[in-house]
Amino acid sequence: MWKSTPAGGPERVVALADGVFAIAITLLVLDFSVPRGLDSAAYRAELRDLAPNLGAYVLSLLVLGLFWRDHRRIFGFVERVDGQVISLSLAGLGVAALVPFPTKLISEYGQEPVSVAVYAAAVAALGASHLALLAVLANRPWLRGDTAPEEGFLLYGADIAASVVVFTLSVPLALVIGPAAMWSWLVLVPVKTLLGRWAMRARRRAVTRPARD
């Protein structure tokens, strides 16, 4: 059984995470280039060829940006870290640093089912690390003091779990139907919208309850 021994504040982990996410986002644009000396027709052809790279960049920028935001919010509840919190954070940051690789796969080999499956697996793994980190903090109040999500750990965890479930299910789906499985990711739009409304209501109740008391 893992023994929870507090090992200082979260500042260094947060700083490391900021750096990893920033570098991962920067690496997404390294493949954007147009050769010199092209005539007009070749120039336009090169720009058309960059369209998949641009789409993959926008997708991964959104993914990394949202997970960076979640990481910052999760560590907003942390007053002290222990070995497991550090390990889970490093695991998640390792996956975040890997995201440029599956991004390149779907930009250059997007018609290959394996490319879509690898990308979905990476996003699901990143979400799973955050979900595990949140679960640890929910069960170890001595690491977070009196702080907690306004909507509660369960509802906040459901928001992260939605991403994990959708991307995990799209892995076998991609191997069956190919790149069309990426359309399944759009399910997250209405799901997260609904969860967001529930979370907003829960926050409002949390704010008004002390006033009534």
Side-chain angles (χ1 to χ4, degrees):
M1 184 176 180
W2 192 293
K3 183 179 179 181
S4 176
T5 303
E11 294 80 11
R12 291 185 178 181
V13 178
V14 172
L16 175 62
D18 289 346
V20 169
F21 277 102
I23 292 171
I25 290 173
T26 302
L27 291 176
L28 295 176
V29 301
L30 292 185
D31 292 327
F32 284 76
S33 63
V34 176
R36 293 184 178 182
L38 300 177
D39 57 29
S40 296
Y43 172 72
R44 289 192 294 270
E46 285 289 335
L47 290 181
R48 286 194 297 271
D49 290 341
L50 282 177
N53 297 60
L54 181 60
Y57 166 76
V58 171
L59 174 62
S60 292
L61 177 63
L62 180 63
V63 167
L64 289 173
L66 290 175
F67 277 111
W68 171 76
R69 182 197 64 181
D70 280 338
H71 190 273
R72 295 282 294 189
R73 188 182 180 200
I74 290 171
F75 270 83
F77 312 135
V78 180
E79 292 184 355
R80 291 176 295 278
V81 298
D82 62 8
Q84 194 166 13
V85 169
I86 293 173
S87 297
L88 290 171
S89 295
L90 288 177
L93 293 177
V95 178
L98 186 66
V99 167
F101 171 66
T103 301
K104 188 171 184 179
L105 289 183
I106 62 171
S107 66
E108 297 185 359
Y109 298 96
Q111 297 304 313
E112 295 292 333
V114 173
S115 298
V116 179
V118 170
Y119 188 91
V123 177
L126 183 53
S129 69
H130 282 190
L131 190 60
L133 183 59
L134 193 66
V136 168
L137 293 174
N139 289 286
R140 295 180 182 173
W142 58 88
L143 296 179
R144 54 182 173 83
D146 297 328
T147 57
E150 295 89 343
E151 67 272 32
F153 279 101
L154 185 61
L155 195 52
Y156 184 34
D159 183 75
I160 299 176
S163 299
V164 177
V165 170
V166 169
F167 278 95
T168 298
L169 292 178
S170 71
V171 173
L173 188 62
L175 298 177
V176 173
I177 67 173
M182 287 190 285
W183 290 105
S184 68
W185 300 342
L186 293 177
V187 172
L188 284 171
V189 176
V191 170
K192 284 187 171 286
T193 299
L194 181 60
L195 289 171
R197 289 176 180 173
W198 289 348
M200 188 175 297
R201 292 173 187 170
R203 292 189 195 107
R204 288 173 181 169
R205 288 195 297 269
V207 171
T208 57
R209 190 177 300 117
R212 292 174 182 174
D213 295 341

